[in-house]
Amino acid sequence: MLALSPAPFAGLRDALFDGYQTLMPRSRDSAPATIVAIDERALDARGQWPWPRTTVAELVRAIAAARPAAIGVDLLFPEPDRSAPGADAALAAALEGNKVVLGIAGLQVRDRRFPFPPHAAPVRLSSAGKLRLRRYDGHLQSRPEIDRAAAGRGLLSADSPDRIVRRVPLVARIGDVVVPALSLEMLRVVTRSATLRIDEHGGRGVSVGVGPLAIPLQSNGTFNVYFGRHDPARFVSAQDVLDGRADELLRDKLVLLGVTGLGLLDFQATPLGERIPGVEVHAQILEQAFDNVYLRRPAGAAWIEAGLLAGAGLLLLVVVPGWRPVSSAAVLLALLALLAAIGTIAFKSGLLLDVATPALGAVIVFTALLAATLAEADRQRRLLREAQARLAGELEAARRIQMGLLPSPEQLFVDERRFSLAALLEPARTVGGDFFDCFMLDRDRLFFLVGDVSGKGLGASLFMALSKSLLKSIALRGEADPAQILTRASAEISRDNREQLFVTAFVGVLDARDGRLAIANAGHEPPALCQPGSAPRRLSASAGPPLCVLADYPYRAETFALVPGAWMCVVTDGVTEAMDGQGRLYGSDRMLAELTRHAALEPVRLLDALREDVARFASGAEPSDDLTLLCVRWNAVPSER
């Protein structure tokens, strides 16, 4: 079930939780942390970064003079300072006895300068049964002379695979040593706790305890950060501190020291769509701890989500076969609204409940049931067809439906200047097995597809609809690699392919920003590529078999760098295998000659010219196959959006 295997849907789940945070950002009720920022003003006054350690020592002493609760340093000093004799000793002396927590950066590989695990506060584990803490093989820390003067050491690293910080390791392993995050270690120093404790609460989750606080964690030691809006009130310039103008802002505060004046070097993206200094992430974690406002996955979340999906699926199973499509669609919309309300209420209560996956599952169930219901109804109708006139009418309706499934590029991309795309399809019979599709994967990437189902007529058109829908669904799930799209489509289409049909397909993804074109071919006609100043050429033969022919075949993609004005034309074999009255084939040579003659035309006029030449060649002979043409040209015009 979808809810029981959320890994493929992690992106969808994160997007949902990001949306909740955007709509309901955390309010800043308390202000336990103040950030002393080495900002542009401080750098203008004291010189470029890195400062001499004597200057940093002066800043630390100035902060300590204001009597803060603790000081967390979001900086590393791994190399000796050669700017002045005794600079490192001066910084160590400034740290000594001032409740300063130094940062440690986790590394994937060991740094030869620090071959041994870092010193960290003891951590007591109630049980290690479900804990799978994030592990770093190496680390980077300040020089031993400086490190020994600190009251504690905390991890600075944050895991953000897609460059958006949602979770941070509040406890992690460096080698075999459990190390707390910088913010957590500051709380330990403030509460004068000798140890940290990690408690497992059976089915109720995991928490880390420091003093009177119990902070919820995931089983891998990460913490869900509930972000509030970036607030300049959290910051005070290091220059104001050095000038003695910020004592009241630092007294009894958890003071974080970090650099913000180096452009975007240490800025992190948040689910709120903001980019904030990395040191502010630690400040927001401290605010959550003081306000006791957390985001946690509820115990048995996967089973709750599975139950929601099962309940929605059972209701749709009862409703869709017996109700009219409009009524069953209304039930689906009501279910989606209910799931949205459940997710919103849970988030307001501090619970991260993934209702997007059950909602997606409900849509899939609804679509499958509706398709099955309509297919069964169509089968019953076909059994009753006795007259040719009625058959012709039904086929005409099927043709309109099939053509309605195809996009209209001139309407879809009416405001698009970066590329031009045209396509046309003429079935050999009333309905056919050819198809094409084109849509934007995101703001800049164009997806286009041309396919041909084996066979002709109504059966091919039904299989065409299934194939087209699955190919589009796979692409819209976030898969942008043409080869992977074909590989997954072959597996998914094969599951429902009792008639052993197969599909040739050509898939392309064009990046409208730089003209990079990635293509993959599954047994389809090789396309024609034309770069300005060169004649159109036909690319190499198929890179793989048609879909549903070989199980688990690993398709491969090719990439081309288009220059402005370059175009690619993709056709089905209805063009190259078109026959005249004497049975002669149109052929790829004549097609290339016609494309060469009209290479400078817009894609829509180029396709019209090619179609007219095929019609002249056939001279009224009955079409032997469906005819489909698609042409895309990269214009390299910058986007105005």
Side-chain angles (χ1 to χ4, degrees), residues 504-525:
T504 68
F506 180 91
V507 171
V509 176
L510 171 65
D511 192 323
R513 296 169 296 187
D514 57 10
R516 188 171 297 276
L517 174 63
I519 64 171
N521 194 337
H524 200 77
E525 283 286 314

Short mmCIF file of all heavy atoms in Angstrom, two decimals, residues 504-525:
data_model
loop_
_atom_site.label_atom_id
_atom_site.label_comp_id
_atom_site.label_asym_id
_atom_site.label_seq_id
_atom_site.Cartn_x
_atom_site.Cartn_y
_atom_site.Cartn_z
N THR A 504 5.95 1.29 -29.49
CA THR A 504 7.18 2.03 -29.76
C THR A 504 6.99 3.44 -29.23
O THR A 504 5.90 4.02 -29.34
CB THR A 504 7.51 2.08 -31.27
OG1 THR A 504 6.55 2.89 -31.95
CG2 THR A 504 7.53 0.68 -31.85
N ALA A 505 8.03 4.00 -28.64
CA ALA A 505 7.89 5.33 -28.02
C ALA A 505 9.21 6.07 -28.13
O ALA A 505 10.29 5.49 -27.99
CB ALA A 505 7.48 5.20 -26.56
N PHE A 506 9.08 7.35 -28.39
CA PHE A 506 10.24 8.26 -28.41
C PHE A 506 9.96 9.37 -27.41
O PHE A 506 8.93 10.04 -27.49
CB PHE A 506 10.46 8.85 -29.80
CG PHE A 506 11.64 9.78 -29.88
CD1 PHE A 506 12.89 9.30 -30.21
CD2 PHE A 506 11.50 11.13 -29.59
CE1 PHE A 506 13.98 10.15 -30.28
CE2 PHE A 506 12.57 11.99 -29.65
CZ PHE A 506 13.81 11.49 -29.99
N VAL A 507 10.88 9.57 -26.45
CA VAL A 507 10.69 10.55 -25.38
C VAL A 507 11.84 11.55 -25.42
O VAL A 507 13.00 11.18 -25.60
CB VAL A 507 10.66 9.84 -24.00
CG1 VAL A 507 10.69 10.86 -22.87
CG2 VAL A 507 9.42 8.98 -23.89
N GLY A 508 11.50 12.82 -25.25
CA GLY A 508 12.51 13.87 -25.21
C GLY A 508 12.22 14.86 -24.10
O GLY A 508 11.06 15.11 -23.78
N VAL A 509 13.27 15.40 -23.50
CA VAL A 509 13.16 16.45 -22.49
C VAL A 509 14.09 17.58 -22.91
O VAL A 509 15.31 17.39 -22.98
CB VAL A 509 13.51 15.95 -21.08
CG1 VAL A 509 13.47 17.11 -20.09
CG2 VAL A 509 12.56 14.85 -20.65
N LEU A 510 13.52 18.74 -23.20
CA LEU A 510 14.28 19.92 -23.64
C LEU A 510 14.34 20.93 -22.52
O LEU A 510 13.31 21.36 -22.00
CB LEU A 510 13.61 20.54 -24.88
CG LEU A 510 14.18 21.90 -25.33
CD1 LEU A 510 15.62 21.74 -25.80
CD2 LEU A 510 13.32 22.52 -26.42
N ASP A 511 15.56 21.31 -22.15
CA ASP A 511 15.75 22.39 -21.19
C ASP A 511 15.74 23.70 -21.98
O ASP A 511 16.66 24.00 -22.74
CB ASP A 511 17.09 22.22 -20.45
CG ASP A 511 17.19 23.14 -19.25
OD1 ASP A 511 16.71 24.29 -19.34
OD2 ASP A 511 17.75 22.72 -18.22
N ALA A 512 14.67 24.48 -21.80
CA ALA A 512 14.49 25.70 -22.59
C ALA A 512 15.49 26.78 -22.23
O ALA A 512 15.61 27.76 -22.95
CB ALA A 512 13.07 26.23 -22.40
N ARG A 513 16.22 26.60 -21.13
CA ARG A 513 17.19 27.62 -20.76
C ARG A 513 18.46 27.55 -21.60
O ARG A 513 18.99 28.58 -22.01
CB ARG A 513 17.55 27.48 -19.28
CG ARG A 513 16.38 27.74 -18.33
CD ARG A 513 16.72 27.32 -16.92
NE ARG A 513 16.94 25.87 -16.85
CZ ARG A 513 17.11 25.20 -15.71
NH1 ARG A 513 17.13 25.84 -14.57
NH2 ARG A 513 17.29 23.89 -15.71
N ASP A 514 18.96 26.33 -21.85
CA ASP A 514 20.25 26.22 -22.53
C ASP A 514 20.21 25.32 -23.77
O ASP A 514 21.24 25.09 -24.39
CB ASP A 514 21.31 25.70 -21.56
CG ASP A 514 20.92 24.36 -20.96
OD1 ASP A 514 19.94 23.75 -21.42
OD2 ASP A 514 21.61 23.92 -20.02
N GLY A 515 19.04 24.83 -24.17
CA GLY A 515 18.94 24.01 -25.37
C GLY A 515 19.42 22.59 -25.21
O GLY A 515 19.56 21.87 -26.19
N ARG A 516 19.66 22.14 -23.97
CA ARG A 516 20.10 20.76 -23.77
C ARG A 516 18.90 19.83 -23.96
O ARG A 516 17.88 19.99 -23.31
CB ARG A 516 20.70 20.59 -22.39
CG ARG A 516 21.37 19.22 -22.17
CD ARG A 516 22.15 19.21 -20.86
NE ARG A 516 23.23 20.19 -20.91
CZ ARG A 516 24.41 19.95 -21.44
NH1 ARG A 516 24.69 18.76 -21.96
NH2 ARG A 516 25.35 20.88 -21.42
N LEU A 517 19.06 18.86 -24.86
CA LEU A 517 17.97 17.95 -25.22
C LEU A 517 18.39 16.52 -24.91
O LEU A 517 19.39 16.03 -25.42
CB LEU A 517 17.64 18.09 -26.71
CG LEU A 517 16.61 17.10 -27.27
CD1 LEU A 517 15.26 17.29 -26.59
CD2 LEU A 517 16.48 17.26 -28.78
N ALA A 518 17.62 15.88 -24.01
CA ALA A 518 17.85 14.48 -23.67
C ALA A 518 16.75 13.64 -24.32
O ALA A 518 15.57 13.99 -24.23
CB ALA A 518 17.85 14.28 -22.16
N ILE A 519 17.12 12.55 -25.00
CA ILE A 519 16.15 11.71 -25.70
C ILE A 519 16.39 10.25 -25.36
O ILE A 519 17.50 9.85 -24.96
CB ILE A 519 16.22 11.91 -27.22
CG1 ILE A 519 17.58 11.46 -27.77
CG2 ILE A 519 15.95 13.36 -27.61
CD1 ILE A 519 17.66 11.42 -29.28
N ALA A 520 15.36 9.46 -25.52
CA ALA A 520 15.46 8.01 -25.40
C ALA A 520 14.46 7.39 -26.37
O ALA A 520 13.36 7.93 -26.56
CB ALA A 520 15.20 7.54 -23.97
N ASN A 521 14.83 6.25 -26.94
CA ASN A 521 14.04 5.65 -28.01
C ASN A 521 13.76 4.20 -27.68
O ASN A 521 14.68 3.44 -27.36
CB ASN A 521 14.80 5.77 -29.34
CG ASN A 521 13.90 5.49 -30.54
OD1 ASN A 521 12.88 4.83 -30.43
ND2 ASN A 521 14.30 5.99 -31.69
N ALA A 522 12.49 3.82 -27.76
CA ALA A 522 12.09 2.43 -27.55
C ALA A 522 11.48 1.90 -28.84
O ALA A 522 10.27 1.91 -29.02
CB ALA A 522 11.10 2.32 -26.39
N GLY A 523 12.34 1.48 -29.77
CA GLY A 523 11.89 0.84 -31.00
C GLY A 523 11.19 1.76 -31.97
O GLY A 523 10.52 1.28 -32.89
N HIS A 524 11.29 3.07 -31.79
CA HIS A 524 10.56 4.01 -32.63
C HIS A 524 11.41 4.45 -33.82
O HIS A 524 12.62 4.22 -33.87
CB HIS A 524 10.15 5.23 -31.80
CG HIS A 524 9.03 6.02 -32.39
ND1 HIS A 524 7.72 5.61 -32.33
CD2 HIS A 524 9.03 7.19 -33.07
CE1 HIS A 524 6.96 6.50 -32.93
NE2 HIS A 524 7.73 7.47 -33.40
N GLU A 525 10.72 5.07 -34.80
CA GLU A 525 11.42 5.63 -35.95
C GLU A 525 12.48 6.63 -35.48
O GLU A 525 12.18 7.51 -34.67
CB GLU A 525 10.43 6.35 -36.87
CG GLU A 525 9.60 5.42 -37.73
CD GLU A 525 10.41 4.84 -38.88
OE1 GLU A 525 11.13 5.59 -39.55
OE2 GLU A 525 10.32 3.62 -39.09
#
